[in-house]
Amino acid sequence: KLVADLEGRFDAAREEHPEFEGKSGIVPYAFPGEYGAYASEDLRTRFITKLGFKPPKEVDKLAGKEFYVEFSGEQFRLMDQDMVLMYGGPRAKRKDIEGDKLYSRLNAVKEGRVVYMDNEDNLLGAVGLSSPLSLPYALDEAVPRMAAAVDGKPATKVKEVQ
């Protein structure tokens, strides 16, 4: 019953947000000086694919048999997707991440297409755990932020998780 209800919640989110379908999406991680992304079979990326986003195939190629890949400077542009669900360190360190010269040049950053999940909020844990008990919270918190990120209006601010 929990799984069926959860599947219904994902179906409803996709119906309410048809703009997600086919948009590119990525779940990268960022810590000062360390960036990468989760492969398509990782629970974090499966969360966005169940909503209709398409992760870049290059991440899977680079990750090989691992569930993630660390980016070099040459691979940084892989984070430039229609929606970026950023898995990161503490909010206090975000200034270091946002101040990174490579990161700050990404169009996704300039155009406000990044949804931050800091390790100080419950959204990061809910997506990371991806259980039938945590995913309803993740949907409630992430979906409106993802909608703001892909609305095509750089002036729209993606709200922070409190």
Side-chain angles (χ1 to χ4, degrees):
K1 175 145 176 43
L2 280 175
V3 172
D5 289 349
L6 186 56
E7 290 299 325
R9 297 272 317 261
F10 274 98
D11 291 344
R14 281 193 308 276
E15 286 175 23
E16 290 172 24
H17 296 282
E19 70 273 21
F20 293 173
E21 192 62 40
K23 293 271 190 199
S24 64
I26 191 167
V27 184
Y29 60 84
F31 301 96
E34 183 184 342
Y35 301 88
Y38 296 99
S40 64
E41 288 304 312
D42 184 79
L43 294 172
R44 291 159 275 226
T45 300
R46 287 170 62 191
F47 175 72
I48 68 168
T49 59
K50 287 182 74 66
L51 292 168
F53 292 98
K54 302 289 180 214
K57 292 180 184 195
E58 188 66 20
V59 171
D60 285 344
K61 275 195 233 173
L62 292 167
K65 294 181 180 186
E66 299 296 325
F67 67 95
Y68 73 98
V69 61
E70 190 170 328
F71 291 149
S72 66
E74 295 80 23
Q75 298 158 331
F76 227 70
R77 284 271 172 217
L78 285 172
M79 282 195 282
D80 227 348
Q81 303 296 321
D82 294 325
M83 191 282 303
V84 178
L85 185 60
M86 181 62 77
Y87 204 85
R91 194 169 287 140
K93 295 287 186 184
R94 187 163 331 137
K95 290 193 187 316
D96 295 336
I97 294 163
E98 291 173 335
D100 184 290
K101 289 179 179 157
L102 285 174
Y103 181 77
S104 64
R105 291 193 333 222
L106 295 173
N107 289 328
V109 173
K110 290 185 217 173
E111 296 171 8
R113 291 185 269 134
V114 180
V115 177
Y116 289 99
M117 299 186 295
D118 297 304
N119 65 7
E120 297 169 341
D121 65 48
N122 293 326
L123 179 57
L124 183 135
V127 172
L129 290 171
S130 287
S131 77
L133 299 176
S134 71
L135 286 173
Y137 175 85
L139 288 167
D140 289 346
E141 292 296 321
V143 169
R145 290 170 176 81
M146 290 176 181
V150 300
D151 74 352
K153 300 173 190 170
T156 302
K157 297 293 180 205
V158 177
K159 292 182 181 174
E160 294 283 331
V161 175
Q162 297 302 319

